[in-house]
């Protein structure tokens, strides 16, 4: 006899599965039975009160199961780049345990910067394995809101500005998580592109913008990733809160996309019982109420059903969705045991971090550093010694360890190079940055190389949930620091740690090399050291545009951020590089940009013409490593339609592939395009249209570094 052990509210149940397989009334507990058969069986056995109980929280991070039927609680944990420490059941106070120090993975924008779907799968599998080992059933990630403004406080959690890149990276992330018997929860649906007034701001955009820019990631998560949970966002869309939005939840998510899983609210994001119940919210979390029974989808929901204001059919649909999640996680067959904070998972964090770092600038090939010629290095900056895991809001983590940049460099150089440290700047108002700058300058004068680790942190209104940045300026007198050090040491290298773009204009032409490092996880110090000294060839590419000025970004150029009560997305589909390239505005660093220590040659472009709307376009080319280092290049394919009945961007990303090559090695790459890749969404017809005409194929190393050009005609 097979025994399945279940824990519900601290009570251990031992359930003989073979008996249930033989008892038709308990089919639902046999994980070998078809999922839908189990769902319908369980539903048929539940009382009205038990069904409603599934639709709201019974602690900060659980919803109740059905104790009478041995269906356990569904337990959630914050993500999206690590499993949050355990909190007390009914408060935000940590339990203070020692077992919950997790593997801290690079943040979402760092993952996107790898442009490597295989790493997205590794990322998800690692996160899912850790969640499983900690007894979690749902991990609250990935977060995939499009970067509309570089100021958004949660940009560091998201995957950049491009819907195609996001769509490609989100699918293996979800599949990796769910391969571990844990549900992913893609968030925040929909249009949560700013933290400013996130609980009340009303977003307005046309259908074309919605379908081309802000929906593709969620559509891919559902249709290709088969995500089990979706989290609705705080904001309003077209006058209705997203947690109570019939268009977004019922018509598009569950209707058009065919989502079969459960929609959960963000914490305290439900405002009305009838609207949440009828418009597609399945279960409610975190509402600020005296008791869990007072939640909108608790006793008020039960009373509304009894009063005939909500159909029990609506309730049954919610329960089916929730049961699908429970049976796919808690009560699934051969559920993995998971691994928590293991060397294998820590190695995964390092592997991802190494591919996430972007080499923005490298004049005279100052990088990689030659350890045979360098005697003294001064490491400067609070971020060189600061641990960054425990911050940023709900994504903050208690990690097993965190190797800072200074620690990673000290480990790398050993006793062969003298390594000095100067703080250079401080985030504390009590410290005098002028004195810290002078100290850094004195050290830098006597050093062969000065490495400045600077940027942002998760303090206050920067890279943190709940607030947006107010500008692109570097805080804490960091511009003064970089300028002062660069003046006395021509070998000054800047490593930026941030969730996105910063204003570099006062110093960018005074330093020979700049790296963008993001928040690269528990092993970021080792990743930076490996790249700086050439043990790893950088291969990251920017997943977002770095503007020279904030006012060059489309939402800001048009005066459409942050809005007051309403924010209008009047820039439409011209988000990020689409706007910069179409308007011919020069960014500081463009979308897709990222240098290497080696060189790549693009050649032999061939485009097989499309015959008709149903035909495919095949694009092939060759890539060769013509430099001295092994390395990886991200080959990017963009499309441009010469003439169209609507204004289309100058170019749109429609394909990419990351290729690893040894010196002298050459590989062929083939892309396939279909009619959807050629289409735009027509607001008048409310459907995708592929218009006949000439298309240009642009192959390059970034949106601005196009190496090969081709074309084809789409005929009637």
């Amino acid at each position: 006899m097979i025994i399945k052990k279940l824990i519900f509210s601290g009570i251990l149940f031992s359930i003989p599965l073979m008996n249930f397989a033989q008892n038709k009334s308990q089919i639902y507990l046999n994980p070998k039975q078809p999922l839908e058969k189990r769902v319908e069986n369980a539903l048929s056995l539940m009382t009205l009160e038990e069904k409603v109980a599934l639709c709201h929280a019974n602690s900060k991070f659980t919803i109740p199961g059905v104790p009478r039927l041995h269906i356990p609680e569904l337990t959630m944990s914050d993500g999206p780049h690590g499993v949050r420490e355990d909190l007390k059941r009914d408060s935000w106070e940590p339990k203070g345990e020692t077992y919950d120090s997790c593997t801290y993975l690079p943040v979402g924008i760092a993952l996107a910067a790898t442009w490597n779907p295989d790493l997205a799968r590794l990322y998800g599998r690692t996160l899912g394995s850790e969640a499983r080992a900690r007894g979690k059933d749902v991990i609250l990630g990935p977060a995939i809101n499009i970067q509309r403004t570089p100021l958004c406080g949660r940009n560091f959690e998201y995957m950049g500005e491009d819907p195609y890149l996001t769509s490609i990276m989100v699918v293996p992330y979800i599949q990796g998580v769910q391969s571990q018997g844990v549900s992913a929860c893609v968030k925040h649906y929909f249009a949560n592109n700013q933290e400013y007034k996130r609980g009340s701001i009303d977003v307005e955009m046309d259908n074309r913008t919605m379908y081309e820019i802000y929906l593709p990631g969620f559509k891919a998560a559902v249709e290709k990733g088969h995500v089990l949970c979706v989290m609705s966002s705080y904001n309003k869309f077209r006058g209705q809160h997203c947690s109570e939005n019939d268009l977004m939840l019922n018509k598009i998510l569950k209707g058009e996309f065919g989502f079969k899983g459960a929609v959960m609210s963000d914490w305290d994001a439900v405002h009305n019982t009838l609207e949440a119940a009828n418009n597609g919210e399945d279960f409610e979390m975190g509402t600020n109420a005296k008791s869990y029974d007072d939640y909108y989808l608790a006793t008020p929901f039960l009373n509304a059903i009894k009063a005939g204001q909500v159909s029990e059919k609506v309730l049954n649909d919610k329960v089916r969705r929730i049961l699908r999640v429970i049976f796919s996680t808690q009560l699934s067959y051969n559920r993995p045991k998971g691994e928590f904070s293991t060397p294998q998972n820590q190695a995964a964090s390092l592997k991802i971090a190494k591919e996430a770092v972007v080499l923005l600038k490298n004049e005279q090939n100052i990088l990689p550093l030659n350890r045979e010629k360098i005697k003294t290095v001064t490491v400067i900056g609070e971020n060189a010694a600061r641990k960054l895991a425990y911050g940023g809001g709900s994504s903050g983590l208690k990690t097993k360890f965190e190797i800072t940049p200074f620690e990673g460099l000290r480990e790398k150089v050993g006793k062969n190079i003298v390594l000095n440290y100067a703080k250079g700047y401080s985030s504390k108002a009590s410290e005098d940055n002028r004195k810290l700058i002078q100290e850094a300058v004195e050290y830098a004068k006597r050093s062969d190389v000065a490495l400045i680790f600077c940027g942002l942190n998760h303090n206050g209104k920067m890279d943190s949930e709940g607030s947006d940045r107010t500008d692109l300026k570097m805080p804490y007198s960091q511009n003064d620091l970089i300028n002062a050090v660069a003046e006395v040491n021509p070998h000054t290298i800047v490593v930026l740690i941030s969730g996105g773009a910063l204003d570099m204009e006062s110093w960018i032409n005074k330093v020979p090399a700049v790296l963008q490092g993001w928040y690269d996880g528990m092993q970021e110090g080792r990743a930076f050291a490996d790249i700086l000294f050439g043990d790893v060839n950088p291969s990251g590419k920017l997943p977002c545009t770095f503007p020279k000025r904030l006012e060059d970004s489309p939402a800001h150029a048009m005066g459409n951020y942050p809005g007051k009560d309403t924010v209008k997305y009047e820039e439409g589909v011209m988000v990020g590089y689409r706007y910069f390239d179409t308007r011919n505005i020069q960014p500081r660093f463009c979308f897709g940009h990222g240098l290497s220590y080696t060189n790549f040659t693009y050649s032999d472009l061939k485009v097989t013409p499309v015959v008709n709307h149903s035909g495919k376009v095949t694009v092939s080319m060759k890539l060769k490593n013509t430099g001295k280092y092994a390395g990886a290049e991200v080959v990017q394919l963009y499309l441009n339609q010469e003439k169209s009945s609507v204004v289309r961007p100058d170019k749109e990303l429609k394909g990419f592939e990351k290729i690893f090559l040894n010196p002298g090695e050459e590989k062929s790459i083939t892309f396939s395009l279909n009619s959807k890749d050629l289409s735009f969404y027509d607001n008048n017809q409310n459907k995708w249209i592929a218009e006949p005409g000439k298309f240009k194929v642009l192959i390059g190393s970034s949106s601005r570094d196009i190496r090969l050009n081709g074309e084809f005609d789409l005929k009637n």
Side-chain angles (χ1 to χ4, degrees), residues 4 9 23 95 109 156 220 327 465 615 675 688:
K4 179 76 172 182
S9 298
N23 188 335
K95 278 187 176 181
I109 199 165
F156 72 97
F327 292 153
E465 179 181 9
S675 61
W688 291 92

Side-chain angles (χ1 to χ4, degrees), residues 379-432:
V379 180
I380 301 168
E382 186 178 82
N383 273 358
R386 183 183 182 125
K387 296 184 188 296
L388 295 162
Y390 207 97
S394 61
S395 66
L397 300 170
K398 182 170 74 173
T399 184
K400 188 79 170 179
F401 61 83
E402 184 175 351
I403 305 298
T404 66
F406 183 74
E407 290 169 341
L409 287 163
R410 186 172 56 192
E411 181 179 274
K412 173 66 64 176
V413 303
K415 297 180 180 179
N416 297 324
I417 296 174
V418 176
L419 202 64
N420 299 312
Y421 174 70
K423 192 170 184 179
Y425 71 91
S426 174
S427 58
K428 297 178 180 179
S430 59
E431 292 191 69
D432 187 346

Side-chain angles (χ1 to χ4, degrees), residues 253-271:
L253 182 65
K254 295 179 178 180
E256 289 182 33
F257 297 170
F259 178 58
K260 299 298 183 184
V263 178
M264 73 169 73
S265 74
D266 207 335
W267 270 238
D268 203 17
V270 176
H271 305 270

Side-chain angles (χ1 to χ4, degrees), residues 283-336:
F283 67 92
E284 175 188 3
M285 298 301 300
T287 295
N288 185 17
K290 291 182 179 179
S291 75
Y292 299 112
D293 288 336
D294 293 330
Y295 276 34
Y296 293 99
L297 292 182
T299 301
F301 184 26
L302 178 64
N303 293 337
I305 294 170
K306 290 180 177 179
Q309 295 174 300
V310 180
S311 167
E312 191 169 350
K313 181 179 178 181
V314 169
L315 171 62
N316 288 343
D317 180 69
K318 298 181 190 305
V319 174
R320 285 187 181 96
R321 293 171 179 279
I322 295 165
L323 289 175
R324 287 183 189 118
V325 179
I326 294 174
F327 292 153
S328 297
T329 56
Q330 275 270 30
L331 300 179
S332 59
Y333 182 62
N334 283 343
R335 192 183 190 195

